[in-house]
Amino acid sequence: MSGKRELYVKLKDKASVRERQIRLGQIAEIWCDQPAEKQKWERLLIAQVPPKGKHRYVFSALEVLGKIQSEDSQIQVTFVGASDTVVDCRKKPNKHAWLEHVKTAVVCVITFVGAAFAIMTFNNDVDVGSIFKTLYELVIGQPSDGRTVLEWTYSLGLFLGIVVFFNHFSKLKVSDDPTPLEVQMRVYEQDVNTAIIQDADRKEDGVDVS
């Protein structure tokens, strides 16, 4: 037995730090074979953020390893998970509740109007109204006034289809699976993090595409 203590570090894909000092516990999950030392490593200073400058920083596992080894060279460090982490150091803005509600309402109105316009455009292209009128007259034998069981069931089915597809209505969810919007947001966030990491590597190599 070597007698070395063990420290396991799992870097987060992305971390938000609202302070000027970035500490290991803010950007990673830590496990130590001596639990009493866990708080010590969580408080380990990784970087000092200047008052002015960029608000996103990239730290690699090697940089974190160097900080840990400089603090204690006798500890054995094992990294699991991501090899780089993106740290967002922007200060939390002062938000007003009423302003957030207004923004949410505006986004909902724009989304509703856009979706309604798309649905109406689709229906006009395939002429759903004329098809319903023709079917109604063929089956019932009377002219349609445009507010028959076909229109009502079509509208209800469209609403239920949207709810089932997006797996979300108000605070209710059809299942525990993430909604398509949540999936796309995670994909977008992952792509942004990857671009930030690759951009940082390019700048270190003297290649800047910006």
Side-chain angles (χ1 to χ4, degrees):
M1 297 291 291
S2 62
K4 279 196 172 184
R5 305 185 317 280
E6 292 183 340
L7 178 68
Y8 289 86
V9 179
K10 181 181 179 181
L11 293 177
K12 300 177 181 178
D13 291 331
K14 184 177 182 179
S16 295
V17 179
R18 305 303 181 186
E19 304 170 1
R20 291 178 57 186
Q21 294 181 333
I22 301 175
R23 300 187 182 275
L24 182 58
Q26 297 172 312
I27 65 174
E29 297 178 20
I30 303 171
W31 182 89
C32 185
D33 59 348
Q34 296 186 10
E37 291 190 3
K38 183 178 179 182
Q39 293 184 350
K40 165 192 170 183
W41 293 115
E42 288 179 341
R43 294 193 300 268
L44 178 64
L45 183 64
I46 301 299
Q48 181 83 20
V49 179
K52 295 182 180 180
K54 60 182 182 179
H55 59 268
R56 282 197 182 104
Y57 297 86
V58 178
F59 296 98
S60 67
L62 292 177
E63 291 180 83
V64 176
L65 176 62
K67 294 288 184 179
I68 297 174
Q69 292 292 334
S70 63
E71 184 75 14
D72 187 348
S73 60
Q74 298 301 314
I75 193 165
Q76 181 176 342
V77 185
T78 302
F79 285 90
V80 295
S83 59
D84 298 276
T85 180
V86 178
V87 182
D88 191 329
C89 300
R90 283 177 290 190
K91 290 184 178 180
K92 189 174 182 180
N94 296 325
K95 295 184 178 180
H96 301 284
W98 65 269
L99 184 59
E100 295 302 312
H101 290 308
V102 170
K103 290 180 180 179
T104 302
V106 171
V107 171
C108 289
V109 170
I110 294 175
T111 304
F112 176 79
V113 173
F117 180 78
I119 293 171
M120 289 187 292
T121 303
F122 169 78
N123 289 338
N124 285 335
D125 287 343
V126 298
D127 204 3
V128 174
S130 297
I131 294 174
F132 282 171
K133 288 181 179 180
T134 302
L135 287 175
Y136 188 83
E137 291 178 7
L138 287 174
V139 176
I140 305 300
Q142 297 179 356
S144 171
D145 61 357
R147 294 187 297 275
T148 66
V149 65
L150 291 175
E151 284 80 13
W152 285 108
T153 53
Y154 177 78
S155 300
L156 179 62
L158 187 64
F159 168 75
L160 292 177
I162 292 173
V163 171
V164 172
F165 175 77
F166 283 101
N167 188 26
H168 183 77
F169 181 73
S170 185
K171 295 182 179 180
L172 302 177
K173 295 184 70 175
V174 179
S175 68
D176 293 332
D177 296 334
T179 66
L181 182 60
E182 290 173 337
V183 171
Q184 290 303 315
M185 288 300 295
R186 298 292 83 77
V187 172
Y188 172 75
E189 186 177 85
Q190 186 176 10
D191 290 342
V192 169
N193 291 341
T194 302
I196 293 173
I197 292 170
Q198 292 179 349
D199 186 55
D201 291 339
R202 283 174 174 268
K203 288 180 179 179
E204 288 179 1
D205 294 337
V207 181
D208 189 359
V209 296
S210 61

